[in-house]
Amino acid sequence: MCGIVGVIGALENKNSLLQQACERIKQRGPDSQGVWLSQDETVGFAHVRLAIQDLSVHGHQPMFSDSDRFVIVFNGEIYNHLQLRNELDKDSWRGHSDTETLLACIESWGVDATLKKLVGMFAFALWDKQQETLTLARDRFGEKPLYFAKGENGGLFFASDLKAIMPMKGFSKKINRHAVALLLRHNYIPAPYTIFETTQKLLPAHYIVFTKQQLETGMDWPSATNYWSAYEHAKRTSDRVFTNDNSAVDAFEFELSRAVKGQMLADVPLGAFLSGGTDSSLIVAMMQKQSAIPINTFSIGFEESQYNEAEYAKAVAKHLGTYHIELYMNANDALNMVPELPQAYSEPFADSSQLPVLTMMKLTSQHVKVALSGDAGDELFGGYNRYKRAQKWWNYYEKLPYFLHKPLAKTAQILADKTSDISHRAKLEQSVQLLQAENAVEFYQPFVSYWKHPEQLVLGAKEPVTTFSLSALRSLKESMMIVDTLSYLPDDILVKVDRAAMYYSLETRVPLLDHQLFEFVWDIHWKYKERDGQQKWLMKELLYRYVPKALLDRPKKGFSVPLGEWLRGPLREWANQLLDNRRLQQQGLLNSDIIQQTWQAHLNKKGDWSAHLWGILMLQAWIDAYAIEV
């Protein structure tokens, strides 16, 4: 895991600028730094390294291909790189890093063919000296970040982290108000949008190739190429069935064991996060099964008992025989962590579980350099509690005659406009959106939205098109799962984990996002994912082979925090300053009247509005941290 930075164009003092950029993101790679400039100094690459494979100088970057035609800066891990080496007709290697393997593959097969062969997580930039082209590429699910921006005077910036390039001359920090609307709807900004107008995130499973002429002249940039599609694969679901249930569990165990084994490849100590739930417990069980010594497991607990799952994690760890470490946090710990959030997340991000996640990463990084997680189980097997709620309302929706939808929506909107109770109004407005939905994807959007009408909150904003414009799959459940796979997973879950882990120089890996495993799970019949009302049936059946059912069967809590109570208590003064009416009016970015009404309703316990307010608070804290002019 590393950090990459690049500048292409007529910017002066590139070497110094890139070295400064490395310092700003050195937590992503504290082990070494490297800078490369092209002969005419129009192209500059920089890299900060967290050494995981091949700790020697042979893994140093920027790295050059054997022919010296290609230069690369790479962030991530290629789990099948040893198999790829066996496929290449190459007599000798300088070292055993996956970056060297990647370069050799590109030199032999080209970028597109290589990307289709890779199993891993990555973002990289490649300069072709012969063709004078720049290629940016990102892994299939977006585990690794990659931002790129058009310079105010032409040229291009790219980086793993916005902190690296924000201070550079020619980088525009003009806020994208339309993206702010997305932030307030989802509490994250979905790709390809970013908080800045001229900056984009490269979409997962895409690569883009720029010619030198395109970069230098400021002409229209090319479109990115999609080399793999989770959505297209989901549409081709085959409903595979097995001769019996044991065969299904065996097949799943084979695929998951393969993925976990590949992701345990490292030349440094590794461990795993363990919440005691199905997903993380299963990953830990598969790791321990393949390890001759106890693996390291880590969990975070809360002093508030209704949020605490650490006791369950401890019981699972004891049963599996891991070396388990836990840490308990309280409101004061959260208060102390809040000022660090804008530094860890250099783009506004507002999933409140970022607080315990950041604490978890700090704890874990003190013991290991790599940690595996159970993320993506809910997207793969339909495990979110909100899926049940949405399905319940969908059943009503389908039974209601279509000719009644519009008049009922109109009536609900009239009632919403008349009421002064914001909780009642929010429920009525959600009903309006559900009744107006044209398909299952649109129907799902209100269930993953905080502010249902963010354009009313962000002055001058028009909400951009996102994943919710996709056509629905054959069922509501599958539509929800694929939308989350394409948006909530890469832009919330993976952002939350990557930024927090890299803040403490920790590499995280997600075995459930092995793309071959993803294809296997989407291809099997639904009865293996949910049965008799039990979500994640196949995952649980496999886990019961290693952990007693009694240790696992309990209501799902998730990694939530008592944010509502904290905002009324120890975080109240901090929030008051950021939500000050005069401050908001002077900025001219947000509708201060709506915000004040919501803040007072929360303080007076007229509903829990903490999740809605957290997006605004994280935006304001980010503006202050980076001295952004609105």
Side-chain angles (χ1 to χ4, degrees), residues 268-295:
V268 295
L270 57 79
F273 308 121
L274 180 60
S275 69
T278 299
D279 304 359
S280 64
S281 297
L282 184 54
I283 296 302
V284 169
M286 294 296 100
M287 290 178 70
Q288 191 58 71
K289 167 187 149 183
Q290 301 181 73
S291 176
I293 60 174
I295 65 167

mmCIF file of all heavy atoms in Angstrom, residues 268-295:
data_model
loop_
_atom_site.group_PDB
_atom_site.id
_atom_site.type_symbol
_atom_site.label_atom_id
_atom_site.label_comp_id
_atom_site.label_asym_id
_atom_site.label_seq_id
_atom_site.Cartn_x
_atom_site.Cartn_y
_atom_site.Cartn_z
ATOM 1 N N VAL A 268 5.484 -9.097 5.713
ATOM 2 C CA VAL A 268 5.396 -8.387 6.998
ATOM 3 C C VAL A 268 4.273 -9.014 7.826
ATOM 4 O O VAL A 268 3.437 -9.757 7.286
ATOM 5 C CB VAL A 268 5.108 -6.884 6.769
ATOM 6 C CG1 VAL A 268 6.263 -6.208 6.054
ATOM 7 C CG2 VAL A 268 3.806 -6.692 5.987
ATOM 8 N N PRO A 269 4.199 -8.731 9.137
ATOM 9 C CA PRO A 269 3.125 -9.287 9.972
ATOM 10 C C PRO A 269 1.745 -8.827 9.508
ATOM 11 O O PRO A 269 1.562 -7.685 9.075
ATOM 12 C CB PRO A 269 3.443 -8.731 11.373
ATOM 13 C CG PRO A 269 4.897 -8.393 11.334
ATOM 14 C CD PRO A 269 5.174 -7.964 9.927
ATOM 15 N N LEU A 270 0.751 -9.738 9.590
ATOM 16 C CA LEU A 270 -0.619 -9.373 9.221
ATOM 17 C C LEU A 270 -1.607 -9.887 10.257
ATOM 18 O O LEU A 270 -1.277 -10.707 11.107
ATOM 19 C CB LEU A 270 -0.970 -9.879 7.817
ATOM 20 C CG LEU A 270 -0.868 -11.378 7.476
ATOM 21 C CD1 LEU A 270 -2.053 -12.155 7.998
ATOM 22 C CD2 LEU A 270 -0.767 -11.544 5.968
ATOM 23 N N GLY A 271 -2.830 -9.362 10.189
ATOM 24 C CA GLY A 271 -3.889 -9.748 11.118
ATOM 25 C C GLY A 271 -5.236 -9.534 10.478
ATOM 26 O O GLY A 271 -5.354 -9.464 9.248
ATOM 27 N N ALA A 272 -6.269 -9.404 11.310
ATOM 28 C CA ALA A 272 -7.628 -9.233 10.794
ATOM 29 C C ALA A 272 -8.469 -8.478 11.803
ATOM 30 O O ALA A 272 -8.257 -8.569 13.026
ATOM 31 C CB ALA A 272 -8.269 -10.586 10.500
ATOM 32 N N PHE A 273 -9.448 -7.732 11.286
ATOM 33 C CA PHE A 273 -10.434 -7.077 12.138
ATOM 34 C C PHE A 273 -11.516 -8.095 12.487
ATOM 35 O O PHE A 273 -11.940 -8.882 11.637
ATOM 36 C CB PHE A 273 -11.072 -5.891 11.413
ATOM 37 C CG PHE A 273 -10.073 -4.923 10.845
ATOM 38 C CD1 PHE A 273 -10.047 -4.636 9.489
ATOM 39 C CD2 PHE A 273 -9.145 -4.303 11.661
ATOM 40 C CE1 PHE A 273 -9.125 -3.757 8.954
ATOM 41 C CE2 PHE A 273 -8.209 -3.417 11.143
ATOM 42 C CZ PHE A 273 -8.202 -3.140 9.783
ATOM 43 N N LEU A 274 -11.976 -8.061 13.720
ATOM 44 C CA LEU A 274 -12.977 -9.028 14.159
ATOM 45 C C LEU A 274 -14.038 -8.324 14.999
ATOM 46 O O LEU A 274 -13.764 -7.844 16.096
ATOM 47 C CB LEU A 274 -12.315 -10.145 14.975
ATOM 48 C CG LEU A 274 -13.228 -11.246 15.514
ATOM 49 C CD1 LEU A 274 -13.951 -11.968 14.377
ATOM 50 C CD2 LEU A 274 -12.438 -12.239 16.354
ATOM 51 N N SER A 275 -15.259 -8.258 14.452
ATOM 52 C CA SER A 275 -16.368 -7.656 15.195
ATOM 53 C C SER A 275 -17.179 -8.701 15.933
ATOM 54 O O SER A 275 -17.948 -8.373 16.830
ATOM 55 C CB SER A 275 -17.285 -6.893 14.228
ATOM 56 O OG SER A 275 -17.978 -7.808 13.387
ATOM 57 N N GLY A 276 -17.029 -9.962 15.542
ATOM 58 C CA GLY A 276 -17.855 -11.020 16.121
ATOM 59 C C GLY A 276 -19.079 -11.319 15.278
ATOM 60 O O GLY A 276 -19.835 -12.233 15.581
ATOM 61 N N GLY A 277 -19.278 -10.543 14.181
ATOM 62 C CA GLY A 277 -20.379 -10.803 13.266
ATOM 63 C C GLY A 277 -20.004 -11.864 12.249
ATOM 64 O O GLY A 277 -18.872 -12.370 12.228
ATOM 65 N N THR A 278 -20.937 -12.166 11.371
ATOM 66 C CA THR A 278 -20.729 -13.240 10.406
ATOM 67 C C THR A 278 -19.548 -12.976 9.483
ATOM 68 O O THR A 278 -18.678 -13.839 9.301
ATOM 69 C CB THR A 278 -22.008 -13.432 9.559
ATOM 70 O OG1 THR A 278 -23.093 -13.785 10.415
ATOM 71 C CG2 THR A 278 -21.805 -14.531 8.518
ATOM 72 N N ASP A 279 -19.482 -11.796 8.891
ATOM 73 C CA ASP A 279 -18.505 -11.528 7.839
ATOM 74 C C ASP A 279 -17.076 -11.598 8.354
ATOM 75 O O ASP A 279 -16.237 -12.319 7.809
ATOM 76 C CB ASP A 279 -18.764 -10.154 7.215
ATOM 77 C CG ASP A 279 -20.180 -10.016 6.683
ATOM 78 O OD1 ASP A 279 -20.946 -10.974 6.783
ATOM 79 O OD2 ASP A 279 -20.509 -8.935 6.169
ATOM 80 N N SER A 280 -16.782 -10.824 9.391
ATOM 81 C CA SER A 280 -15.406 -10.799 9.895
ATOM 82 C C SER A 280 -15.027 -12.137 10.530
ATOM 83 O O SER A 280 -13.883 -12.589 10.393
ATOM 84 C CB SER A 280 -15.225 -9.660 10.902
ATOM 85 O OG SER A 280 -16.031 -9.847 12.056
ATOM 86 N N SER A 281 -15.972 -12.786 11.199
ATOM 87 C CA SER A 281 -15.682 -14.079 11.826
ATOM 88 C C SER A 281 -15.326 -15.129 10.774
ATOM 89 O O SER A 281 -14.444 -15.965 10.988
ATOM 90 C CB SER A 281 -16.881 -14.554 12.653
ATOM 91 O OG SER A 281 -17.156 -13.668 13.714
ATOM 92 N N LEU A 282 -16.014 -15.075 9.629
ATOM 93 C CA LEU A 282 -15.744 -16.041 8.571
ATOM 94 C C LEU A 282 -14.363 -15.820 7.971
ATOM 95 O O LEU A 282 -13.621 -16.782 7.707
ATOM 96 C CB LEU A 282 -16.823 -15.940 7.495
ATOM 97 C CG LEU A 282 -16.734 -16.957 6.344
ATOM 98 C CD1 LEU A 282 -16.688 -18.385 6.871
ATOM 99 C CD2 LEU A 282 -17.913 -16.776 5.390
ATOM 100 N N ILE A 283 -13.986 -14.572 7.757
ATOM 101 C CA ILE A 283 -12.653 -14.282 7.218
ATOM 102 C C ILE A 283 -11.582 -14.767 8.195
ATOM 103 O O ILE A 283 -10.590 -15.392 7.798
ATOM 104 C CB ILE A 283 -12.481 -12.777 6.937
ATOM 105 C CG1 ILE A 283 -13.456 -12.327 5.828
ATOM 106 C CG2 ILE A 283 -11.040 -12.461 6.549
ATOM 107 C CD1 ILE A 283 -13.301 -13.051 4.522
ATOM 108 N N VAL A 284 -11.781 -14.496 9.478
ATOM 109 C CA VAL A 284 -10.816 -14.926 10.481
ATOM 110 C C VAL A 284 -10.730 -16.450 10.524
ATOM 111 O O VAL A 284 -9.631 -17.026 10.619
ATOM 112 C CB VAL A 284 -11.178 -14.358 11.864
ATOM 113 C CG1 VAL A 284 -10.352 -15.012 12.963
ATOM 114 C CG2 VAL A 284 -10.975 -12.844 11.877
ATOM 115 N N ALA A 285 -11.870 -17.128 10.426
ATOM 116 C CA ALA A 285 -11.870 -18.594 10.437
ATOM 117 C C ALA A 285 -11.082 -19.145 9.255
ATOM 118 O O ALA A 285 -10.306 -20.100 9.402
ATOM 119 C CB ALA A 285 -13.303 -19.109 10.409
ATOM 120 N N MET A 286 -11.258 -18.544 8.074
ATOM 121 C CA MET A 286 -10.531 -18.997 6.890
ATOM 122 C C MET A 286 -9.032 -18.705 7.015
ATOM 123 O O MET A 286 -8.193 -19.479 6.538
ATOM 124 C CB MET A 286 -11.087 -18.319 5.629
ATOM 125 C CG MET A 286 -12.509 -18.692 5.257
ATOM 126 S SD MET A 286 -12.730 -20.442 4.827
ATOM 127 C CE MET A 286 -13.410 -21.067 6.372
ATOM 128 N N MET A 287 -8.686 -17.608 7.644
ATOM 129 C CA MET A 287 -7.273 -17.285 7.850
ATOM 130 C C MET A 287 -6.637 -18.258 8.835
ATOM 131 O O MET A 287 -5.544 -18.784 8.593
ATOM 132 C CB MET A 287 -7.135 -15.852 8.369
ATOM 133 C CG MET A 287 -7.464 -14.774 7.375
ATOM 134 S SD MET A 287 -7.339 -13.108 8.102
ATOM 135 C CE MET A 287 -5.552 -12.965 8.330
ATOM 136 N N GLN A 288 -7.318 -18.475 9.963
ATOM 137 C CA GLN A 288 -6.745 -19.350 10.988
ATOM 138 C C GLN A 288 -6.600 -20.782 10.482
ATOM 139 O O GLN A 288 -5.643 -21.479 10.807
ATOM 140 C CB GLN A 288 -7.601 -19.313 12.249
ATOM 141 C CG GLN A 288 -6.953 -19.977 13.464
ATOM 142 C CD GLN A 288 -5.615 -19.327 13.809
ATOM 143 O OE1 GLN A 288 -5.564 -18.209 14.281
ATOM 144 N NE2 GLN A 288 -4.524 -20.043 13.557
ATOM 145 N N LYS A 289 -7.546 -21.189 9.649
ATOM 146 C CA LYS A 289 -7.480 -22.524 9.051
ATOM 147 C C LYS A 289 -6.203 -22.712 8.230
ATOM 148 O O LYS A 289 -5.650 -23.826 8.152
ATOM 149 C CB LYS A 289 -8.721 -22.711 8.164
ATOM 150 C CG LYS A 289 -8.695 -23.897 7.214
ATOM 151 C CD LYS A 289 -9.919 -23.829 6.313
ATOM 152 C CE LYS A 289 -9.617 -24.423 4.953
ATOM 153 N NZ LYS A 289 -10.741 -24.324 4.022
ATOM 154 N N GLN A 290 -5.711 -21.622 7.633
ATOM 155 C CA GLN A 290 -4.552 -21.713 6.755
ATOM 156 C C GLN A 290 -3.255 -21.231 7.406
ATOM 157 O O GLN A 290 -2.248 -21.058 6.736
ATOM 158 C CB GLN A 290 -4.813 -20.912 5.473
ATOM 159 C CG GLN A 290 -6.038 -21.409 4.716
ATOM 160 C CD GLN A 290 -6.306 -20.649 3.429
ATOM 161 O OE1 GLN A 290 -5.594 -20.821 2.451
ATOM 162 N NE2 GLN A 290 -7.336 -19.830 3.420
ATOM 163 N N SER A 291 -3.301 -21.006 8.714
ATOM 164 C CA SER A 291 -2.125 -20.509 9.422
ATOM 165 C C SER A 291 -1.665 -21.512 10.476
ATOM 166 O O SER A 291 -2.481 -22.054 11.227
ATOM 167 C CB SER A 291 -2.439 -19.166 10.092
ATOM 168 O OG SER A 291 -1.340 -18.709 10.852
ATOM 169 N N ALA A 292 -0.375 -21.724 10.545
ATOM 170 C CA ALA A 292 0.182 -22.667 11.522
ATOM 171 C C ALA A 292 0.304 -22.050 12.908
ATOM 172 O O ALA A 292 0.502 -22.764 13.897
ATOM 173 C CB ALA A 292 1.546 -23.148 11.042
ATOM 174 N N ILE A 293 0.193 -20.727 12.999
ATOM 175 C CA ILE A 293 0.289 -20.029 14.282
ATOM 176 C C ILE A 293 -0.966 -19.184 14.474
ATOM 177 O O ILE A 293 -1.677 -18.891 13.507
ATOM 178 C CB ILE A 293 1.537 -19.134 14.338
ATOM 179 C CG1 ILE A 293 1.491 -18.082 13.218
ATOM 180 C CG2 ILE A 293 2.801 -19.982 14.239
ATOM 181 C CD1 ILE A 293 2.613 -17.065 13.291
ATOM 182 N N PRO A 294 -1.277 -18.783 15.706
ATOM 183 C CA PRO A 294 -2.454 -17.928 15.926
ATOM 184 C C PRO A 294 -2.330 -16.617 15.150
ATOM 185 O O PRO A 294 -1.290 -15.952 15.205
ATOM 186 C CB PRO A 294 -2.433 -17.679 17.436
ATOM 187 C CG PRO A 294 -1.673 -18.826 18.007
ATOM 188 C CD PRO A 294 -0.630 -19.158 16.979
ATOM 189 N N ILE A 295 -3.369 -16.266 14.417
ATOM 190 C CA ILE A 295 -3.352 -14.980 13.722
ATOM 191 C C ILE A 295 -3.728 -13.879 14.702
ATOM 192 O O ILE A 295 -4.334 -14.127 15.746
ATOM 193 C CB ILE A 295 -4.298 -14.972 12.500
ATOM 194 C CG1 ILE A 295 -5.755 -15.125 12.947
ATOM 195 C CG2 ILE A 295 -3.908 -16.031 11.493
ATOM 196 C CD1 ILE A 295 -6.741 -14.822 11.854
#
